Amino acid sequence: MHPFFKSFHYALKGIRHGILNERNLRFHAFAIVVVSIAGVFTGLTATEWCIIFILFGGMTALELINTAIERTVDLITNEIHPLAEQAKDVAAGAVLIFAFFSAIIAMIIFIPKWL
C-alpha cells in the first residue's frame, strides 16, 4: 500500500480505537448525532451547518488529541508525577473549554429558531 494511503489507514484506525475505547469520545459521537437530527428538524442554513460541522470536527479532534496525550503520559511513566498530572489536566481542560464554547455557539444558533 502506498504510504499516502497508509496514513489514512492509520488515522481511521486511531479514530476507531478512540470511539471504541473512550467514553468521552462516544459521548461526543452521540452528541453529534443528536445535534445533527436537531439541525435537520430546525432547518439550519448552510452557514449554520458549516459552523456546526467545524464544532463537530474541532471537538472530535481535540478529544482524540487529549487521548493521545493521556496515552503518551501513561507510556512514559506509571508513577504519579505532578508534571504528568498537569499534562493530562491541561489537555482535559482544553477539551472542556472547547465543549463549553461549542455549547454556547449551539445555543446562539438553535434557541432563536426554536422561540
Side-chain angles (χ1 to χ4, degrees), residues 54-72:
I54 289 168
L55 297 175
F56 288 167
M59 190 73 252
T60 304
L62 202 52
E63 191 65 60
L64 287 167
I65 291 168
N66 180 48
T67 299
I69 290 169
E70 288 180 357
R71 296 288 192 281
T72 302

Side-chain angles (χ1 to χ4, degrees), residues 26-67:
R26 285 193 304 273
F27 172 79
H28 292 302
F30 174 74
I32 287 171
V33 171
V34 170
V35 172
S36 295
I37 292 168
V40 168
F41 285 108
T42 301
L44 299 182
T45 66
T47 302
E48 290 166 336
W49 275 115
C50 287
I51 293 166
I52 294 297
F53 283 131
I54 289 168
L55 297 175
F56 288 167
M59 190 73 252
T60 304
L62 202 52
E63 191 65 60
L64 287 167
I65 291 168
N66 180 48
T67 299

